[in-house]
Amino acid sequence: MEELRVIHPLIWGGIATLLLIQASWIFYDASKRGENKWLWGIFGLLNVPSNLIIYLIVTRIIFKTKECPNCRKNIKLNSKYCSYCGEPVEEN
């Protein structure tokens, strides 16, 4: 029984650390991609790793992207302006 008291706080600390790392990375990546960073960051705090998998599927597979003709970065298909360089993008 004494061993459980020592391991138990370490396990909670590890889970909390993983959640913070996951949420921080999702927050950073969402802000870089022009997504709602606060919503995704809080979503990343809920559990590990299923929310990370959901974030990756939604932001990379479901939303189709196209290349900006000016800076060559991937932007959302329906964007009128590049979220990286700010230049207008022609609709195809």
Side-chain angles (χ1 to χ4, degrees):
M1 200 63 159
E2 284 291 323
E3 294 172 9
L4 288 178
R5 290 186 188 145
V6 174
I7 295 173
H8 189 64
L10 292 176
I11 291 173
W12 283 112
I15 291 171
T17 302
L18 285 174
L19 285 171
L20 286 173
I21 290 170
Q22 173 180 280
S24 298
W25 184 84
I26 290 174
F27 181 88
Y28 171 74
D29 190 66
S31 65
K32 192 171 67 171
R33 292 180 171 277
E35 301 285 337
N36 186 340
K37 60 186 175 185
W38 289 105
L39 176 69
W40 282 114
I42 292 170
F43 183 71
L45 284 173
L46 298 178
N47 61 15
V48 174
S50 60
N51 285 358
L52 177 63
I53 294 168
I54 291 169
Y55 170 75
L56 293 173
I57 288 172
V58 168
T59 59
R60 301 217 179 24
I61 296 173
I62 293 177
F63 295 119
K64 302 294 182 186
T65 61
K66 62 182 174 183
E67 189 177 85
C68 171
N70 189 40
C71 67
R72 304 283 187 227
K73 295 205 178 189
N74 287 332
I75 56 174
K76 290 181 184 174
L77 190 58
N78 59 354
S79 296
K80 295 183 181 182
Y81 294 92
C82 177
S83 56
Y84 297 99
C85 66
E87 293 294 318
V89 180
E90 297 176 9
E91 293 188 29
N92 294 335

